[in-house]
Amino acid sequence: PPVFVTRAPAQVVGCAWTSGGIVFGVRQGPLHVVGDGGGEPAALTTLEGNETLHAWPEEVPGTQVVLFVAGTAGGARLEGKIAALDRRTGRVVRFNLAGTHPHWVGSGHLVYATTDGSLRAVPFDPAALEVRGTPVPVLDAVGVKTSGAANFDISHNGHLVFSASGESTARRTLTWVDRAGRETPIAAPPRNYFYVRVS
């Protein structure tokens, strides 16, 4: 059965089960952490400048370094820069990398998505919290949502799985479903529908 962990102070924007508890981002706030067994969340980071949220955390395996996005959400789409937190010292480094949803790869690279759906990779030293070199494109046309969620993941052994962007991969039809489970298609053309509501 589901187990109650905590009540977040705002909408959760990314979550990672790390070696030091569950780290999560919230809309209009910093990263938070709660123990594996649940409890009250505690803030891990502090917003700076025009930042409105810290989101999409992921721990670098074998370290206490958490990658995340230091973002601004003034418009319809989350815009942000990749950042890293060393939980041992509390040090936060913001990199000059515009993107979202950072992931660590065992080859020593930080992989992240850009708002145009490009995946980029750049060498990263977690011990020094330093990006070394220039980001290079890895893949194009990855789905990136306005929340900054990027439709990809990378396993610890380096396998990449992703969902492509574009209307052709997101065409949906609308259907009425009654309480008996009977489906009746709605006469509307297939499109990129989402968040359907009844007027």
Side-chain angles (χ1 to χ4, degrees), residues 1-191:
V3 174
F4 178 81
V5 176
T6 192
R7 186 168 304 283
Q11 177 187 357
V12 174
V13 188
C15 183
W17 202 321
T18 72
S19 57
I22 300 167
V23 176
F24 59 94
V26 296
R27 193 159 298 286
Q28 306 299 320
L31 290 182
H32 286 73
V33 64
V34 65
D36 296 344
E40 286 297 313
L44 271 181
T45 55
T46 303
L47 301 177
E48 292 186 3
N50 65 345
E51 294 173 357
T52 56
L53 77 164
H54 290 166
W56 306 114
E58 179 174 299
E59 184 178 55
V60 176
T63 74
Q64 291 198 40
V65 173
V66 175
L67 301 170
F68 66 97
V69 177
T72 57
R77 176 178 291 278
L78 171 70
E79 303 286 343
K81 299 280 179 87
I82 306 302
L85 160 70
D86 185 338
R87 292 185 60 187
R88 294 168 306 167
T89 63
R91 180 178 173 221
V92 173
V93 176
R94 291 156 174 84
F95 307 115
N96 191 25
L97 301 172
T100 187
H101 228 141
H103 289 66
W104 165 257
V105 183
S107 62
H109 290 82
L110 186 162
V111 177
Y112 62 96
T114 60
T115 55
D116 66 358
S118 170
L119 281 191
R120 311 250 172 115
V122 63
F124 174 64
D125 180 351
L129 292 187
E130 288 181 1
V131 167
R132 297 177 174 166
T134 303
V136 295
V138 175
L139 186 67
D140 287 325
V142 171
V144 179
K145 299 175 182 163
T146 57
S147 67
N151 297 335
F152 81 101
D153 202 2
I154 303 174
S155 69
H156 291 300
N157 64 3
H159 288 94
L160 168 73
V161 61
F162 72 98
S163 172
S165 64
E167 186 178 345
S168 61
T169 62
R171 295 174 71 81
R172 302 177 180 99
T173 57
L174 300 176
T175 304
W176 285 109
V177 181
D178 68 19
R179 291 192 170 125
R182 290 183 296 267
E183 299 180 10
T184 305
I186 294 173
R191 296 180 67 179

Side-chain angles (χ1 to χ4, degrees), residues 172-176 186 192-199:
R172 302 177 180 99
T173 57
L174 300 176
T175 304
W176 285 109
I186 294 173
N192 187 15
Y193 298 113
F194 59 97
Y195 299 136
V196 178
R197 300 286 190 275
V198 176
S199 172

